[in-house]
Amino acid sequence: GSLTTPPEILLAGYSRVVERPCLLLTKHKLERDGMSNQLTLVEDTGLGHRLWLREGEEVLSTAELPNGPNNNGGALRRRANIAVASQYRVMILSAEGSLSIVAELDARLTCASLSPLGSHCVAFCASGDGRTSRVMYLSTLESGEEGSRGVLA
């Protein structure tokens, strides 16, 4: 069968030119060898999408959220949202058109795991006061500028 969406790889890196960390969503394509029927992942010609992070920020964890309808309840998105956690914050990124932050919460993670809660929400353990760890969520639904958030437990 044919692939409707080419595979993409999210890389965390550092630009020596800009002197800042960034996330890079690369564009790749699969090529099939006619003789062996083997698939090879080949970098495509575009530069991909880049998102600059805060100075000194390091990515601790990422999770692709299940693909689902857009926020208006319409057709399936072309690309799934991506949850990213660093030592400073948790973000939900959209790769539709460009790599952009659609929801964000400053938080200190007490565990690096991110757990998808559907296509628009992620759960994580964090501490707001530096002492008490709570299970929290961040969502792109019913969002203000930074998304909706709350405590699960």
Side-chain angles (χ1 to χ4, degrees):
S2 64
L3 294 174
T4 56
T5 304
E8 296 174 311
I9 299 173
L10 182 68
L11 301 171
Y14 183 83
S15 170
R16 292 180 191 216
V17 174
V18 180
E19 296 184 351
R20 287 199 39 203
C22 67
L23 292 172
L24 178 66
L25 186 64
T26 64
K27 295 182 178 272
H28 286 73
K29 61 183 177 180
L30 285 175
E31 292 184 354
R32 184 182 304 270
D33 181 322
M35 300 296 283
S36 67
N37 209 24
Q38 181 175 347
L39 293 174
T40 304
L41 188 64
V42 178
E43 188 169 356
D44 204 349
T45 53
L47 291 176
H49 302 293
R50 184 170 295 155
L51 176 72
W52 296 105
L53 301 174
R54 296 175 184 168
E55 189 173 329
E57 191 167 19
E58 294 181 25
V59 173
L60 302 175
S61 184
T62 62
E64 183 180 37
L65 303 183
N67 203 359
N70 60 34
N71 278 357
N72 299 329
L76 284 181
R77 294 185 316 275
R78 218 168 50 91
R79 293 185 171 119
N81 287 333
I82 305 164
V84 177
S86 75
Q87 76 271 37
Y88 302 128
R89 60 186 168 163
V90 175
M91 303 169 277
I92 298 177
L93 309 179
S94 170
E96 293 289 336
S98 67
L99 195 56
S100 60
I101 300 171
V102 292
E104 174 179 21
L105 174 64
D106 287 341
R108 294 192 186 281
L109 265 63
T110 55
C111 172
S113 296
L114 295 172
S115 297
L117 297 175
S119 58
H120 299 282
C121 189
V122 64
F124 52 93
C125 293
S127 172
D129 59 10
R131 295 184 307 246
T132 307
S133 183
R134 299 183 182 272
V135 178
M136 302 179 75
Y137 73 90
L138 179 64
S139 172
T140 65
L141 298 176
E142 300 177 17
S143 62
E145 246 178 61
E146 298 178 338
S148 63
R149 73 279 315 268
V151 176
L152 295 171

